[in-house]
Amino acid sequence: MGIAWPPDGTPILMAVLTTKQRQDAPADHPLVAGTAALLAAELVRPGPAGGTR
């Protein structure tokens, strides 16, 4: 979980849930980091009328 603070100042909670077949399987850190990066990039992508999303 994380909180993103976009330019307009409205906080957005981001959560990524992963599952594994085995309890001792390695953590999914790259998957979580990649998903967070995609979400963050979407927050700063230009939206309608030149604003951010």
Side-chain angles (χ1 to χ4, degrees):
M1 291 179 64
I3 299 175
W5 295 88
D8 72 358
T10 304
I12 299 172
L13 176 66
M14 299 188 301
V16 179
L17 174 66
T18 65
T19 60
K20 301 181 245 177
Q21 294 290 327
R22 296 185 346 249
Q23 188 174 9
D24 62 344
D28 291 323
H29 297 301
L31 173 65
V32 173
T35 303
L38 288 171
L39 292 170
E42 188 65 23
L43 290 175
V44 297
R45 187 167 63 99
T52 56
R53 296 188 181 270

